[in-house]
Amino acid sequence: MASTTTGKIAEFRRLLSRAHSVLVLTGAGISAESGVPTFRGAGGLWRQFRVTDLATPAAFSRSPSLVWEFYHYRRELVRTKQPNKAHIAIAQAEAKFEKQGKRFNVITQNVDGLHRRAGTKNLIEMHGNLFMTRCTSCGFTEENNSSPICESLRNRGSPAENGPDINEKDLPCCRKCKSLVRPHIVWFGEQIWDDVLEKIEKEIQLCDLFLVVGTSSVVYPAAGYASILSQKNIPIAEVNIETTPSTSIATYHFHGPAAQLLPQLLSSNIDDE
Ligand code: BJW
Ligand code: ZN
């Protein structure tokens, strides 16, 4: 492995130019420079709660009002944010690979929709999306971009506490059966959806270069993908401002912010050696 960062970037770009099936896994760090808070960093708290306190089926049964306020807050926040240079570099690399008839797929743990908005098409949103809802009774699932998602949540969800619990009948409800809906998001202790797991397994089988961006690599199953691929001797590149449990098995660790590094790693404006 080359010893300088520039040398490592050049090496990675050579590998990339020879790859036939690139798989990218992203986490909250890729959206940090768009102004979306990460989960485990500073700003990861909403009121006094951690995501692990709110993103669970138990929290939703205890207080659908509290959990909906949290998600309403995040939906409204994300609307004000834009994809950054890292999201865009990925979307452009995908387009270039597709043109060459090669595979390029993105698995994101993020629910913010910024990859979609950047134009990524081969996208697996493995934990769901803030703008999808699912009925707790009939299972009806749909995209919902309303702002606010329901009248009772207007001006609610502030990180400073702002009002009593909202009655369940006033929370977002199903168009089909009028029951309470929930965010179509995979919470802790819930299984990743089968169709999503199947798609991921297929890409892991085919992948010949794995790029992991802005994830703490602690939440499974995503945290296990680097290890699966490393056992198959697939080159792994990690981009992160910190080291993670994946760093020790990564072929390359690019230390720094994703919006700065990804254009250097992926863009086609730099001549390929
Ligand atoms: C930058 C940067 C910049 C900052 N540039 N980088 C095996 C072992 C142990 C436990 C389990 C296991 N298998 C399953 C579990 C249980 C559980 C789990 O993993 N627990 C662990 C915490 C121990 N997993 C599950 O429950 C999953 N379900 C499942 O596996 O079902 C089967 C099963 C269940 C139970 C037992 C066994 C099997 C479901 C997981 C669903 C995760 N859902 C969440 C919240 C919902 C979405 C939402 O509301 O937003 O998804 S949790 C939260 O963490 C969110 C994220 O997608 C996910 C990952 O976080 P991420 O993206 O890594 O963010 P951060 O903040 O942690 O890290 C940011 C990183 O960016 C940092 O490294 C920074 O340094 C970096 N960074 N700025 C580059 N500018
Ligand atoms: Zn319903």
Side-chain angles (χ1 to χ4, degrees):
M1 194 191 296
S3 54
T4 64
T5 304
T6 320
K8 284 197 301 175
I9 290 176
E11 247 185 56
F12 173 82
R13 289 177 61 83
R14 270 194 293 277
L15 268 184
L16 181 71
S17 67
R18 292 182 199 134
H20 291 276
S21 186
V22 176
L23 187 56
V24 184
L25 171 69
T26 67
I30 196 169
S31 297
E33 288 154 276
S34 294
V36 181
T38 60
F39 294 99
R40 292 166 185 84
L45 287 182
W46 176 81
R47 297 185 185 165
Q48 76 274 35
F49 302 104
R50 305 208 144 274
V51 66
T52 40
D53 299 326
L54 296 164
T56 70
F60 190 67
S61 352
R62 206 163 39 240
S63 178
S65 169
L66 180 74
V67 174
W68 259 121
E69 276 199 83
F70 172 58
Y71 280 98
H72 165 64
Y73 168 72
R74 290 174 57 206
R75 283 166 60 99
E76 298 305 315
L77 178 86
V78 159
R79 270 180 216 291
T80 66
K81 309 299 180 195
Q82 301 304 324
N84 64 47
K85 286 181 179 169
H87 299 103
I88 292 165
I90 288 175
Q92 288 175 343
E94 178 196 86
K96 182 180 161 198
F97 264 68
E98 288 237 300
K99 227 169 162 183
Q100 295 171 344
K102 300 190 206 167
R103 299 184 75 79
F104 191 103
N105 282 267
V106 180
I107 303 172
T108 187
Q109 298 167 85
N110 299 345
V111 296
D112 57 28
L114 291 180
H115 281 296
R116 282 196 205 190
R117 282 165 57 192
T120 292
K121 295 189 187 71
N122 302 326
L123 178 65
I124 304 173
E125 292 176 313
M126 68 177 291
H127 292 162
N129 187 293
L130 282 171
F131 300 95
M132 300 278 294
T133 58
R134 184 169 82 242
C135 178
T136 55
S137 179
C138 73
F140 177 65
T141 301
E142 68 174 342
E143 189 169 336
N144 182 321
N145 288 297
S146 305
S147 169
I149 188 167
C150 69
E151 265 318 300
S152 61
L153 282 164
R154 191 181 291 280
N155 302 322
R156 295 291 300 260
S158 146
E161 225 138 322
N162 67 342
D165 269 11
I166 299 164
N167 209 306
E168 189 171 316
K169 70 172 180 26
D170 296 322
L171 287 171
C173 69
C174 178
R175 272 200 296 128
K176 305 265 179 203
C177 77
K178 304 289 174 240
S179 303
L180 177 69
V181 298
R182 56 167 278 181
H184 185 52
I185 281 179
V186 183
W187 286 331
F188 277 112
E190 294 185 318
Q191 296 278 2
I192 310 294
W193 304 300
D194 285 347
D195 58 327
V196 168
L197 279 181
E198 271 168 34
K199 284 186 197 157
I200 293 175
E201 274 155 24
K202 179 179 169 197
E203 294 313 324
I204 286 189
Q205 285 297 322
L206 293 171
C207 162
D208 60 7
L209 179 59
F210 189 47
L211 176 59
V212 189
V213 185
T215 174
S216 56
S217 292
V218 295
V219 175
Y220 285 84
Y225 300 154
S227 149
I228 295 170
L229 288 162
S230 141
Q231 281 162 33
K232 293 170 62 182
N233 291 320
I234 304 297
I236 299 168
E238 180 184 57
V239 174
N240 203 304
I241 55 169
E242 290 173 0
T243 57
T244 75
S246 294
T247 307
S248 58
I249 53 171
T251 324
Y252 304 96
H253 174 81
F254 296 106
H255 195 89
Q260 188 185 312
L261 283 167
L262 285 200
Q264 295 180 46
L265 292 168
L266 299 178
S267 86
S268 40
N269 302 337
I270 305 165
D271 288 335
D272 288 326
E273 291 87 338

